[in-house]
Coordinates of all heavy atoms in Angstrom, one line a residue:
F994 N -29.2 -178.4 -106.7 CA -29.3 -177.0 -106.8 C -29.0 -176.3 -105.4 O -29.5 -176.8 -104.4 CB -30.9 -176.6 -107.2 CG -31.0 -175.1 -107.0 CD1 -30.4 -174.2 -107.8 CD2 -32.1 -174.7 -106.1 CE1 -30.8 -172.7 -107.6 CE2 -32.5 -173.5 -106.1 CZ -31.8 -172.4 -106.8
T995 N -28.1 -175.4 -105.3 CA -27.8 -174.6 -104.1 C -27.8 -173.2 -104.4 O -27.5 -172.7 -105.5 CB -26.3 -175.0 -103.7 OG1 -26.3 -176.5 -103.6 CG2 -25.9 -174.5 -102.4
I996 N -28.3 -172.4 -103.4 CA -28.4 -170.9 -103.5 C -28.3 -170.3 -102.2 O -28.7 -170.8 -101.1 CB -29.8 -170.6 -104.3 CG1 -29.8 -169.1 -104.6 CG2 -30.9 -170.9 -103.3 CD1 -30.8 -168.8 -105.6
E997 N -27.6 -169.2 -102.1 CA -27.6 -168.3 -100.9 C -28.5 -167.2 -101.0 O -28.6 -166.5 -101.9 CB -26.1 -167.7 -100.8 CG -25.8 -167.0 -99.6 CD -24.4 -166.6 -99.5 OE1 -23.4 -167.4 -99.3 OE2 -24.2 -165.3 -99.7
L998 N -29.4 -167.1 -100.0 CA -30.5 -166.2 -99.9 C -30.2 -165.1 -98.9 O -29.7 -165.4 -97.7 CB -31.8 -166.8 -99.6 CG -32.2 -168.0 -100.6 CD1 -33.4 -168.7 -100.0 CD2 -32.5 -167.4 -102.0
R999 N -30.6 -163.8 -99.2 CA -30.4 -162.7 -98.3 C -31.9 -162.1 -98.1 O -32.4 -161.6 -99.0 CB -29.5 -161.7 -98.7 CG -28.2 -162.2 -98.8 CD -27.1 -161.2 -99.4 NE -25.9 -161.7 -99.8 CZ -25.0 -162.1 -98.9 NH1 -25.2 -161.8 -97.6 NH2 -23.8 -162.6 -99.2
A1000 N -32.4 -162.2 -96.9 CA -33.7 -161.5 -96.5 C -33.3 -160.3 -95.7 O -32.6 -160.3 -94.7 CB -34.6 -162.5 -95.8
S1001 N -34.0 -159.0 -96.1 CA -33.6 -157.9 -95.5 C -34.7 -157.0 -95.0 O -34.6 -155.9 -94.6 CB -32.6 -157.0 -96.4 OG -33.2 -156.7 -97.5
S1002 N -36.0 -157.4 -95.2 CA -37.1 -156.5 -94.9 C -37.5 -156.7 -93.4 O -37.7 -157.8 -92.9 CB -38.3 -156.7 -95.8 OG -38.7 -158.0 -95.6
G1003 N -37.3 -155.6 -92.6 CA -37.7 -155.9 -91.2 C -39.2 -155.8 -90.9 O -40.0 -155.0 -91.4
G1004 N -39.6 -156.7 -90.1 CA -40.9 -156.7 -89.6 C -41.9 -157.4 -90.4 O -43.2 -157.4 -90.2
I1005 N -41.5 -158.0 -91.5 CA -42.5 -158.8 -92.3 C -41.9 -160.1 -92.7 O -40.7 -160.4 -92.6 CB -42.9 -158.0 -93.7 CG1 -41.7 -157.8 -94.7 CG2 -43.5 -156.6 -93.5 CD1 -42.0 -157.4 -96.1
S1006 N -42.8 -161.0 -93.2 CA -42.4 -162.3 -93.5 C -41.7 -162.4 -95.0 O -42.3 -161.6 -95.8 CB -43.6 -163.4 -93.5 OG -43.2 -164.6 -93.8
N1007 N -40.7 -163.1 -95.2 CA -40.1 -163.1 -96.4 C -40.3 -164.6 -96.9 O -39.9 -165.5 -96.0 CB -38.6 -163.0 -96.2 CG -38.3 -161.5 -96.0 OD1 -38.4 -160.6 -96.8 ND2 -38.2 -161.3 -94.6
N1008 N -40.6 -164.9 -98.0 CA -40.9 -166.3 -98.5 C -40.5 -166.3 -99.9 O -40.7 -165.5 -100.8 CB -42.4 -166.6 -98.3 CG -42.7 -168.1 -98.6 OD1 -41.9 -168.9 -98.3 ND2 -43.8 -168.3 -99.3
I1009 N -39.9 -167.5 -100.4 CA -39.5 -167.8 -101.7 C -39.6 -169.3 -101.9 O -39.3 -170.0 -101.0 CB -38.1 -167.1 -102.2 CG1 -38.0 -167.3 -103.6 CG2 -37.0 -167.9 -101.3 CD1 -36.8 -166.5 -104.2
I1010 N -40.1 -169.7 -103.2 CA -40.2 -170.9 -103.6 C -39.5 -171.2 -104.8 O -39.8 -170.5 -105.9 CB -41.7 -171.5 -103.7 CG1 -42.4 -171.4 -102.3 CG2 -41.8 -172.8 -104.2 CD1 -44.0 -171.6 -102.4
F1011 N -38.7 -172.2 -105.0 CA -37.9 -172.6 -106.1 C -38.4 -174.0 -106.5 O -38.7 -174.8 -105.7 CB -36.5 -172.7 -105.9 CG -35.8 -171.3 -105.4 CD1 -35.5 -171.1 -104.1 CD2 -35.4 -170.3 -106.3 CE1 -34.9 -170.0 -103.7 CE2 -34.7 -169.3 -106.0 CZ -34.6 -169.0 -104.6
R1012 N -38.6 -174.2 -107.7 CA -38.9 -175.6 -108.3 C -38.1 -175.9 -109.4 O -37.8 -175.2 -110.4 CB -40.4 -175.7 -108.7 CG -41.4 -175.7 -107.6 CD -42.7 -175.9 -108.0 NE -43.7 -175.9 -106.9 CZ -45.0 -175.7 -107.0 NH1 -45.5 -175.4 -108.2 NH2 -45.7 -175.6 -106.0
L1013 N -37.6 -177.2 -109.4 CA -36.7 -177.8 -110.6 C -37.7 -177.8 -111.8 O -39.0 -178.2 -111.5 CB -36.2 -179.1 -110.1 CG -35.2 -179.6 -111.0 CD1 -33.9 -178.6 -111.0 CD2 -34.8 -180.9 -110.5
S1014 N -37.3 -177.4 -112.8 CA -38.1 -177.3 -114.0 C -37.6 -178.2 -115.1 O -36.3 -178.0 -115.5 CB -38.3 -175.8 -114.6 OG -38.8 -175.7 -115.8
I1015 N -38.4 -179.0 -115.7 CA -37.9 -179.9 -116.8 C -38.7 -179.3 -118.1 O -40.0 -179.5 -118.1 CB -38.1 -181.4 -116.6 CG1 -37.5 -181.8 -115.3 CG2 -37.6 -182.1 -117.8 CD1 -36.0 -181.6 -115.2
N1016 N -38.1 -178.9 -119.2 CA -38.7 -178.5 -120.4 C -39.8 -177.5 -120.2 O -40.8 -177.5 -120.8 CB -39.3 -179.7 -121.1 CG -38.2 -180.8 -121.5 OD1 -37.1 -180.4 -121.8 ND2 -38.6 -182.0 -121.4
G1017 N -39.5 -176.5 -119.1 CA -40.4 -175.4 -118.9 C -41.4 -175.8 -118.0 O -42.4 -174.9 -117.5
T1018 N -41.5 -177.0 -117.3 CA -42.6 -177.3 -116.4 C -42.0 -177.6 -115.1 O -41.3 -178.5 -114.9 CB -43.3 -178.7 -116.9 OG1 -43.9 -178.6 -118.2 CG2 -44.4 -179.1 -115.9
P1019 N -42.4 -176.5 -114.1 CA -41.9 -176.8 -112.8 C -42.5 -177.9 -112.2 O -43.7 -178.2 -112.2 CB -42.5 -175.5 -112.1 CG -42.6 -174.5 -113.2 CD -43.2 -175.4 -114.3
L1020 N -41.6 -178.8 -111.5 CA -42.0 -179.9 -110.8 C -42.4 -179.8 -109.3 O -41.6 -179.3 -108.5 CB -40.9 -181.0 -110.8 CG -40.5 -181.3 -112.3 CD1 -39.2 -182.3 -112.2 CD2 -41.5 -182.0 -113.1
A1021 N -43.8 -179.9 -108.9 CA -44.2 -179.5 -107.6 C -43.6 -180.3 -106.6 O -43.4 -179.8 -105.5 CB -45.7 -179.6 -107.6
T1022 N -43.1 -181.5 -106.9 CA -42.5 -182.4 -105.9 C -40.9 -182.1 -105.8 O -40.3 -182.8 -105.0 CB -42.7 -183.9 -106.2 OG1 -42.0 -184.1 -107.5 CG2 -44.2 -184.1 -106.2
K1023 N -40.4 -181.3 -106.6 CA -39.0 -181.0 -106.6 C -38.8 -179.5 -106.2 O -38.4 -178.7 -107.0 CB -38.3 -181.3 -107.9 CG -38.6 -182.7 -108.4 CD -38.1 -183.8 -107.5 CE -38.4 -185.1 -108.3 NZ -38.5 -186.2 -107.3
Q1024 N -39.0 -179.1 -105.0 CA -38.9 -177.7 -104.7 C -38.4 -177.4 -103.3 O -38.1 -178.3 -102.5 CB -40.4 -177.0 -104.6 CG -41.1 -177.3 -103.4 CD -42.6 -176.5 -103.4 OE1 -43.0 -176.2 -104.4 NE2 -43.2 -176.3 -102.3
I1025 N -37.8 -176.2 -103.2 CA -37.2 -175.6 -102.1 C -38.0 -174.5 -101.6 O -38.3 -173.6 -102.4 CB -35.8 -175.1 -102.1 CG1 -34.8 -176.3 -102.5 CG2 -35.3 -174.3 -100.9 CD1 -33.4 -175.8 -102.8
E1026 N -38.6 -174.6 -100.4 CA -39.5 -173.3 -99.9 C -38.6 -172.8 -98.8 O -38.4 -173.6 -97.8 CB -40.8 -173.7 -99.5 CG -41.5 -172.6 -99.1 CD -43.0 -172.9 -98.7 OE1 -43.4 -174.0 -99.0 OE2 -43.8 -172.0 -98.5
Y1027 N -38.4 -171.5 -98.9 CA -37.7 -170.8 -97.8 C -38.5 -169.8 -97.1 O -39.0 -168.9 -97.9 CB -36.4 -170.2 -98.4 CG -35.6 -169.2 -97.3 CD1 -34.7 -169.8 -96.5 CD2 -35.7 -168.0 -97.6 CE1 -34.0 -168.9 -95.7 CE2 -35.0 -167.0 -96.7 CZ -34.3 -167.6 -95.8 OH -33.6 -166.7 -94.9
Q1028 N -38.6 -169.6 -95.9 CA -39.4 -168.6 -95.3 C -38.7 -168.1 -94.0 O -38.1 -168.9 -93.2 CB -40.9 -169.2 -94.8 CG -41.7 -168.1 -94.3 CD -43.1 -168.7 -94.2 OE1 -43.4 -169.8 -94.0 NE2 -44.1 -167.8 -94.1
T1029 N -38.7 -166.8 -93.8 CA -38.1 -166.2 -92.6 C -38.8 -165.0 -92.2 O -39.4 -164.2 -93.0 CB -36.6 -166.0 -92.9 OG1 -35.9 -165.7 -91.6 CG2 -36.3 -164.9 -93.9
F1030 N -38.6 -164.6 -91.0 CA -39.1 -163.3 -90.5 C -37.9 -162.6 -89.9 O -37.3 -163.0 -89.0 CB -40.2 -163.5 -89.3 CG -40.8 -162.3 -88.9 CD1 -41.9 -161.7 -89.6 CD2 -40.2 -161.5 -87.8 CE1 -42.4 -160.7 -89.2 CE2 -40.9 -160.5 -87.4 CZ -42.1 -160.0 -88.1
V1031 N -37.7 -161.5 -90.7 CA -36.5 -160.5 -90.2 C -37.0 -159.5 -89.4 O -37.9 -158.7 -89.7 CB -35.8 -160.1 -91.5 CG1 -34.6 -159.2 -91.0 CG2 -35.4 -161.2 -92.3
T1032 N -36.4 -159.3 -88.2 CA -36.8 -158.1 -87.3 C -36.0 -156.9 -87.6 O -34.7 -157.0 -88.0 CB -36.5 -158.5 -85.8 OG1 -35.0 -158.8 -85.6 CG2 -37.4 -159.7 -85.5
A1033 N -36.6 -155.8 -87.5 CA -35.9 -154.4 -87.7 C -35.1 -154.3 -88.9 O -35.5 -154.5 -89.9 CB -35.2 -154.1 -86.4
A1034 N -33.8 -153.9 -88.7 CA -32.9 -153.7 -89.8 C -32.0 -154.7 -90.0 O -30.8 -154.5 -90.5 CB -32.2 -152.3 -89.5
N1035 N -32.2 -155.9 -89.4 CA -31.4 -157.1 -89.7 C -31.3 -157.7 -91.1 O -32.2 -157.4 -91.9 CB -31.7 -158.1 -88.7 CG -31.4 -157.8 -87.3 OD1 -30.7 -156.9 -86.9 ND2 -32.2 -158.4 -86.3
I1036 N -30.2 -158.3 -91.4 CA -30.1 -159.1 -92.6 C -29.9 -160.6 -92.3 O -29.0 -160.8 -91.7 CB -29.1 -158.6 -93.7 CG1 -29.4 -157.1 -94.1 CG2 -29.0 -159.4 -94.9 CD1 -28.3 -156.5 -94.8
E1037 N -30.8 -161.4 -92.9 CA -30.5 -162.7 -92.7 C -30.0 -163.5 -93.9 O -30.6 -163.3 -95.0 CB -31.9 -163.5 -92.2 CG -31.6 -164.9 -91.7 CD -32.9 -165.4 -91.1 OE1 -33.5 -164.7 -90.3 OE2 -33.2 -166.6 -91.3
V1038 N -29.0 -164.3 -93.7 CA -28.3 -165.0 -94.9 C -28.4 -166.6 -94.6 O -28.0 -167.0 -93.5 CB -26.9 -164.5 -95.1 CG1 -26.2 -165.3 -96.2 CG2 -26.8 -163.0 -95.3
D1039 N -28.9 -167.2 -95.6 CA -29.1 -168.7 -95.4 C -28.6 -169.3 -96.7 O -28.9 -168.8 -97.9 CB -30.5 -169.1 -95.0 CG -30.9 -168.7 -93.5 OD1 -30.2 -169.2 -92.8 OD2 -31.8 -167.9 -93.5
L1040 N -28.1 -170.5 -96.6 CA -27.8 -171.3 -97.7 C -28.9 -172.5 -97.9 O -28.9 -173.2 -96.7 CB -26.4 -171.9 -97.6 CG -25.9 -172.7 -98.9 CD1 -25.6 -171.9 -100.0 CD2 -24.4 -173.3 -98.4
V1041 N -29.4 -172.6 -98.9 CA -30.4 -173.7 -99.1 C -30.0 -174.6 -100.2 O -29.4 -174.2 -101.2 CB -31.9 -173.3 -99.3 CG1 -32.4 -172.6 -98.0 CG2 -32.0 -172.3 -100.4

């Protein structure tokens, strides 16, 4: 699983968690957690 994320809120923490899901059950050990702090009016782009 690959995804490009864009965080754009200035002055607050941005956080997202993705989990691989099998038959509707998210697997806690198969996750991507992305966290960033964006300052002012910047936009941060990352590939995870």
Side-chain angles (χ1 to χ4, degrees):
F994 169 62
T995 304
I996 193 164
E997 186 177 288
L998 300 170
R999 298 179 188 286
S1001 59
S1002 62
I1005 65 170
S1006 180
N1007 298 278
N1008 186 39
I1009 189 165
I1010 298 174
F1011 300 99
R1012 285 190 183 152
L1013 199 59
S1014 165
I1015 307 297
N1016 300 324
T1018 303
L1020 306 174
T1022 60
K1023 311 294 184 210
Q1024 78 176 19
I1025 295 174
E1026 183 171 0
Y1027 172 79
Q1028 187 171 21
T1029 188
F1030 185 84
V1031 181
T1032 60
N1035 293 336
I1036 296 176
E1037 188 166 322
V1038 179
D1039 288 299
L1040 182 70
V1041 295

